[in-house]
Amino acid sequence: MDIGAYEKVYKLGMKEYRNKTLKGEWPYLWVLDAILSHVDVAREEELGLVDIPLDQIRGTKTEGRTNAFAANFMPLLPPDSEFAYKWAQLYESHLEEGIHEPIKAYEFLNQFYVLEGNKRVSVLKSCDAVSVPGMVTRIIPKKDDSDENKIYYEFLDFYEKTAINFINFSQVGSYPALLEIIGINSEEDFTDEVKEQFQSAYIRFSGVFKKKGGEKLSLTIADAFLLYLELHSYEEMEDKSADEIAKELDKIWNDFVYYPNKPEVKLIFDADQESTRQNIVKKILPLTTSSTPVKVAFIHSKTVETSSWTYGHDLGANHLEEALDYNVEVSSYFGADTQEREMECFEQAIVDGNTIIFSTSAKLVGTSMKYALDYPKLHFLNCSLNTNSKYIRTYYGRLYEAKFLIGALAGVLAPTNTIGYIADYPIYGGIANINAFALGAKMVNPEIRVYVKWAHLNSERQNDLLRDVDVSLVSGRDFIRPESDSQKFGLYDPHEDIPDSLAMPVWDWGVYYEKTVSSILNGTWKQEADGKNEALNDWWGMSSGMIDVICSKKLPPDTVRLIGLLKKGICSGEFDPFAGRRYTKDGTHYIKVTDRLTAEQIITMDWLAENVIGFIPTMEELTEDAKPIVRIQGVSSVTKEG
């Protein structure tokens, strides 16, 4: 019998052994029994016959054959041994007939450990086989707080719905994210056709990624695949060639290199932080009078008739066109409420020659990034907060500043110690708005309590909490559409049939759009930081004029004066709504009197102030129409009671 094949793999085994030893790493196969001696096991499950990926076979179940193989499953026993003879015999048999007899193995944390069939695995690995059939027993650890454990339990749910075991993630939340991207909610959704399409897409991506040297990076192939799908449509993968995928990977390769670190978010707090304090509109007008107007597109997920949010942005677009007159030409695209419709709107905006494209909803951030990658010479901006993508620039407002003023006003005007707050979504900045309102009210009335009602909730828990609660004033939606039948917006008395708005926060998007487009024309604007892994987010406040508060003329003059003084302090930076000792209801969150919350702490706030009565809803408690935006921009889904 020719022992030459064994001598080759024996050399590979010895090389692996030496390399591991020099690095101070374990040079042999890992032993599951030794690993489990430090693990609390919840239960075992028989999976039956499973196609086991060979690159996920990590070791053996028992110590018996540990020293016979190096960590890569190549043999370590000398070529003149009986072991070598049997290995070579099995190798020849595989070349002639193939290895069909299943091995026996245990699965733990989606890694496999062989009970019977170590030589079969070794032979197959030496022949670069992809998988081996095996009768598998799964060992499930008890739940704990480690990331490894959380990822594995996410895998178990993924496996239950797909029966796929070759996807391995390194970050919590990745399995649910992948299921959402491919549209899988249950086992019934993962038909043979869907499975075939998914495997084809993954294999093609994997081949390109490996060819470009992706295996040398610290992330897994599945990590890279998910990151890629977050920027490129999964549905389109079926028609993409390997060359097309390779070109797309080139554009985002640094994202793989830095993974799991996302670009750091650099916040631009006001327009003057980037540009000079000159009147830049006057400065650029002479430069553009004889040129073709710059085309600016606004892409909205809804329409002005169905959304006050879209209506507000549309007013801002109209302001931009009036303010810059012949320097810009504005086009608006409405109803981008599905993936297909989003693509249509962006495609049309580009075909129409727009070079500055604003998308006014966080739901559109993914599509914005896709087109920003495809058209790097265009300017893409998305209305969202805390978005860490360097391919687009995002913008939002520090609305909590205005909410604090309205809370203070409510504290002064409320005839009782009970007021209400209607919240939209538990998203970045949204919880800060609630707390700022509550702290403003508490500043003038320490006894006041704020009851929170969520506008997009399918849970009965809210009704139970608010039953028999009578609030004297309510902070409702920020503004309404002209066609709306409701007059309930801003701060109002819920007991009045036709309530007057006592005060309301204002989003003056026209201010932002005018200053931003002007800075683009002037050459002072940047889409990304220079030479850094940073994402630029505009987060403007009242000092910029983008956020403001309008008070009713019916209010007492001294009360309006108080609000004006507070506004002046916030705009100058002398007064911080969140400075001082702050507690949640259970007293676990506080800062010292001399401290201030950082911008990140305000944006990602996931706790409620101690005078707030309510909770932060979980994803399951939200209505279906609310879930998409919360998935993209939501704060921690852990419910916080108040």
Side-chain angles (χ1 to χ4, degrees):
M1 179 176 295
D2 182 11
I3 204 70
Y6 184 85
E7 290 176 342
K8 290 180 181 179
V9 295
Y10 171 70
K11 290 179 180 178
L12 293 176
M14 292 303 298
K15 181 179 179 180
E16 176 78 357
Y17 176 85
R18 287 192 295 270
N19 288 341
K20 291 285 187 181
T21 302
L22 289 172
K23 293 178 182 178
E25 299 175 0
W26 180 247
Y28 303 110
L29 298 178
W30 289 93
V31 179
L32 181 59
D33 285 347
I35 295 172
L36 294 178
S37 65
H38 305 287
V39 175
D40 289 330
V41 174
R43 63 186 185 278
E44 294 186 4
E45 291 181 357
E46 297 297 331
L47 301 184
L49 187 62
V50 172
D51 199 33
I52 304 174
L54 281 167
D55 60 3
Q56 290 174 223
I57 299 181
R58 192 183 186 209
T60 67
K61 173 64 166 63
T62 63
E63 278 188 310
R65 279 293 186 184
T66 305
N67 297 340
F69 300 94
N72 60 356
F73 255 99
M74 295 300 101
L76 292 175
L77 299 182
D80 59 354
S81 64
E82 181 182 356
F83 177 90
Y85 175 81
K86 291 181 178 180
W87 192 100
Q89 190 176 41
L90 182 61
Y91 177 80
E92 287 189 4
S93 176
H94 171 61
L95 294 182
E96 294 174 3
E97 304 174 4
I99 294 176
H100 304 293
E101 183 183 356
I103 66 171
K104 290 184 179 180
Y106 284 79
E107 182 252 279
F108 177 68
L109 298 180
N110 204 22
Q111 298 289 322
F112 295 85
Y113 301 84
V114 180
L115 179 64
E116 295 179 10
N118 289 296
K119 281 196 290 292
R120 276 170 275 172
V121 170
S122 179
V123 167
L124 288 171
K125 279 180 173 282
S126 73
C127 295
D128 295 323
V130 175
S131 62
V132 60
M135 299 299 295
V136 176
T137 301
R138 170 174 287 160
I139 298 178
I140 302 176
K142 291 182 179 178
K143 285 188 175 182
D144 59 40
D145 291 330
S146 68
D147 284 351
E148 182 182 47
N149 187 277
K150 292 176 182 177
I151 292 170
Y152 183 64
Y153 270 86
E154 288 180 357
F155 162 75
L156 293 179
D157 181 61
F158 178 83
Y159 185 85
E160 182 180 353
K161 295 173 180 177
T162 66
I164 285 178
N165 59 9
F166 56 81
I167 297 291
N168 286 281
F169 288 115
S170 65
Q171 302 298 310
V172 175
S174 296
Y175 284 106
L178 181 60
L179 286 173
E180 182 179 349
I181 285 175
I182 62 179
I184 302 301
N185 294 311
S186 65
E187 183 180 357
E188 289 73 26
D189 292 335
F190 207 66
T191 62
D192 290 341
E193 181 180 356
V194 173
K195 184 174 184 178
E196 183 179 343
Q197 179 185 359
F198 176 79
Q199 288 179 321
S200 173
Y202 185 78
I203 290 171
R204 280 187 295 117
F205 174 87
S206 177
V208 176
F209 185 71
K210 289 179 180 178
K211 188 176 181 180
K212 295 181 72 65
E215 288 183 301
K216 296 178 182 178
L217 303 178
S218 60
L219 77 172
T220 69
I221 295 174
D223 290 333
F225 186 56
L226 179 60
L227 195 155
Y228 170 83
L229 292 181
E230 289 174 346
L231 297 172
H232 297 280
S233 171
Y234 171 69
E235 288 74 17
E236 293 180 356
M237 280 208 70
E238 190 173 4
D239 300 321
K240 287 182 181 177
S241 66
D243 287 342
E244 288 176 312
I245 295 174
K247 290 178 181 178
E248 290 173 337
L249 293 189
D250 285 338
K251 296 176 182 178
I252 61 172
W253 195 257
N254 277 342
D255 291 357
F256 300 143
V257 174
Y258 287 117
Y259 191 88
N261 298 320
K262 298 278 188 178
E264 294 183 9
V265 175
K266 180 180 179 181
L267 295 171
I268 308 299
F269 290 94
D270 284 302
D272 288 338
Q273 186 174 338
E274 260 194 317
S275 59
T276 66
R277 295 181 180 273
Q278 301 176 45
N279 188 329
I280 57 177
V281 176
K282 290 181 180 179
K283 182 178 178 182
I284 58 95
L285 284 179
L287 301 177
T288 58
T289 53
S290 61
S291 63
T292 303
V294 172
K295 292 187 176 183
V296 183
F298 289 85
I299 300 177
H300 310 281
S301 62
K302 296 185 179 180
T303 66
V304 294
E305 293 79 20
T306 60
S307 167
S308 58
W309 180 260
T310 299
Y311 174 68
H313 282 279
D314 193 49
L315 290 177
N318 294 337
H319 171 92
L320 170 66
E321 195 162 33
E322 292 176 4
L324 297 190
D325 198 9
Y326 44 77
N327 292 280
V328 299
E329 180 182 319
V330 173
S331 300
S332 296
Y333 306 83
F334 299 96
D337 53 358
T338 65
Q339 183 65 36
E340 182 179 2
R341 179 62 182 148
E342 287 179 27
M343 305 279 280
E344 289 177 0
C345 289
F346 276 88
E347 291 283 358
Q348 191 60 53
I350 293 169
V351 169
D352 291 343
N354 293 284
T355 58
I356 303 173
I357 300 176
F358 293 96
S359 51
T360 63
S361 169
K363 295 178 182 178
L364 304 175
V365 67
T367 308
S368 298
M369 285 190 279
K370 168 185 165 47
Y371 281 93
L373 286 166
D374 292 340
Y375 298 92
K377 293 184 179 180
L378 304 184
H379 302 295
F380 290 87
L381 300 94
N382 175 259
C383 187
S384 58
L385 182 61
N386 210 39
T387 301
N388 46 7
S389 170
K390 60 188 177 183
Y391 305 113
I392 62 173
R393 185 154 168 173
T394 62
Y395 60 100
Y396 211 74
R398 300 197 297 275
L399 189 65
Y400 75 86
E401 295 176 348
K403 292 290 187 179
F404 180 85
L405 298 183
I406 294 177
L409 183 61
V412 171
L413 299 177
T416 70
N417 291 333
T418 305
I419 55 179
Y421 185 103
I422 299 177
D424 281 329
Y425 309 102
I427 58 176
Y428 292 133
I431 311 303
N433 294 342
I434 298 171
N435 287 336
F437 176 85
L439 293 174
K442 185 182 178 184
M443 182 182 67
V444 297
N445 181 358
E447 302 302 320
I448 208 159
R449 296 293 178 266
V450 178
Y451 284 81
V452 174
K453 180 178 181 180
W454 294 93
H456 301 276
L457 211 64
N458 62 15
S459 171
E460 287 298 317
R461 186 155 62 118
Q462 177 167 269
N463 294 333
D464 294 339
L465 186 65
L466 299 180
R467 188 171 288 117
D468 300 326
V469 174
D470 183 25
V471 295
S472 56
L473 290 178
V474 171
S475 175
R477 63 181 65 185
D478 297 340
F479 54 88
I480 60 173
R481 305 181 310 277
E483 300 84 358
S484 176
D485 294 331
S486 174
Q487 296 298 313
K488 297 180 178 180
F489 65 97
L491 184 68
Y492 63 89
D493 183 345
H495 302 96
E496 296 178 354
D497 294 333
I498 305 179
D500 288 329
S501 176
L502 302 174
M504 60 180 288
V506 175
W507 293 87
D508 193 345
W509 293 111
V511 169
Y512 179 79
Y513 292 135
E514 178 186 347
K515 290 183 178 181
T516 298
V517 172
S518 295
S519 66
I520 292 175
L521 298 178
N522 192 44
T524 61
W525 184 89
K526 295 184 295 183
Q527 187 149 296
E528 59 179 285
D530 295 327
K532 296 180 180 179
N533 191 35
E534 286 183 337
L536 298 181
N537 285 204
D538 290 321
W539 195 37
W540 294 6
M542 290 196 299
S543 59
S544 70
M546 191 181 90
I547 301 292
D548 206 346
V549 171
I550 295 178
C551 294
S552 170
K553 294 181 180 179
K554 297 180 180 181
L555 295 181
D558 287 343
T559 301
V560 176
R561 183 167 175 263
L562 169 64
I563 300 304
L565 290 172
L566 290 173
K567 175 184 173 181
K568 183 178 180 180
I570 291 174
C571 290
S572 67
E574 295 177 359
F575 182 83
D576 182 351
F578 289 114
R581 191 181 298 273
R582 303 303 184 201
Y583 289 90
T584 62
K585 184 69 174 179
D586 60 8
T588 59
H589 291 78
Y590 68 92
I591 55 175
K592 295 179 181 178
V593 175
T594 55
D595 289 344
R596 290 189 176 190
L597 294 181
T598 65
E600 181 181 2
Q601 288 173 321
I602 294 172
I603 291 171
T604 61
M605 194 176 286
D606 63 351
W607 49 270
L608 296 174
E610 62 179 333
N611 64 322
V612 175
I613 310 300
F615 58 91
I616 300 175
T618 62
M619 183 69 75
E620 292 72 23
E621 292 178 302
L622 297 171
T623 57
E624 290 303 315
D625 65 314
K627 290 180 180 178
I629 192 169
V630 176
R631 287 192 183 99
I632 297 170
Q633 290 275 283
V635 298
S636 172
S637 61
V638 178
T639 302
K640 303 287 184 180
E641 296 279 357

